[in-house]
Amino acid sequence: MSTASVPADPSGRIPASPAPSASSASSAGTVTDRLVEANNRYAADFADPGMDARPVLKVAVVACMDARLDLHDALGLELGDCHTIRNAGGVVTDDVIRSLTISQRALGTRSVVLIHHTGCGLLSLTEDFRHELEDEVGQRPAWAVEAFRDVDQDVRQSMQRVRTSPFLLHRDDVRGFVFDVKTGLLREIDPA
């Protein structure tokens, strides 16, 4: 089946399909080919919304990259409402602080929402992952895995990292949550 014949759902997304067998992979194209085709359909009806890069709600959301989290739908957000910063675990790393600093100082955000989730893959990893990578490729990663055993405590740690960063202008409206992947509900985490 060619990518052009894959029907999009009403949101314009291509439904997931089983991985092609090795013999059909060359005729079906890659996942990236499917994404490019979807973009071509999207661009055909695209109209510049005339938006500024500054988020309308002046909020930055830091969340896990987990594919089960549809942040815009879960939070009732529209295009242009927020900055979304995602990484493995949704943890606040130096690069997240970099993005938040740019978000606040150059683009006017004032609030930070942190979202971790149940069933996160980082709950089952340890820093041994770095050692295994070093053994495999002969070079140790410069980054930490940032694995955790207690999702609530990691949200607290992430809130603390935001609240104590000297680079951020706005550290008073920082709230953290755990998203339940089974119910879709957010549970707020007390920072204390």
Side-chain angles (χ1 to χ4, degrees), residues 47-163:
D48 179 0
M51 294 179 172
D52 186 283
R54 295 172 177 271
V56 172
L57 298 179
K58 298 184 179 185
V59 63
V61 178
V62 178
C64 185
M65 66 186 189
D66 192 291
R68 296 171 290 181
L69 276 65
D70 185 343
L71 293 173
H72 276 76
D73 276 353
L75 300 175
L77 296 167
E78 299 292 331
L79 182 67
D81 280 348
C82 73
H83 282 157
T84 306
I85 304 161
R86 295 181 81 154
N87 67 20
V91 296
V92 175
T93 61
D94 286 345
D95 193 59
V96 168
I97 293 294
R98 178 188 71 89
S99 294
L100 288 172
T101 302
I102 293 166
S103 178
Q104 288 189 358
R105 291 180 175 266
L107 296 165
T109 60
R110 302 183 62 84
S111 300
V112 178
V113 173
L114 305 169
I115 301 177
H116 286 34
H117 65 93
T118 59
C120 185
L122 285 187
L123 288 164
S124 62
L125 287 178
T126 67
E127 288 299 317
D128 289 341
F129 182 74
R130 291 175 70 216
H131 302 296
E132 293 163 7
L133 282 173
E134 182 179 16
D135 290 345
E136 180 183 329
V137 303
Q139 181 178 341
R140 187 174 200 163
W143 39 263
V145 175
E146 295 278 355
F148 48 86
R149 295 280 178 241
D150 182 334
V151 68
D152 290 18
Q153 185 54 37
D154 202 68
V155 172
R156 286 186 195 95
Q157 177 177 294
S158 290
M159 284 190 281
Q160 185 65 15
R161 287 178 177 175
V162 171
R163 288 185 172 140

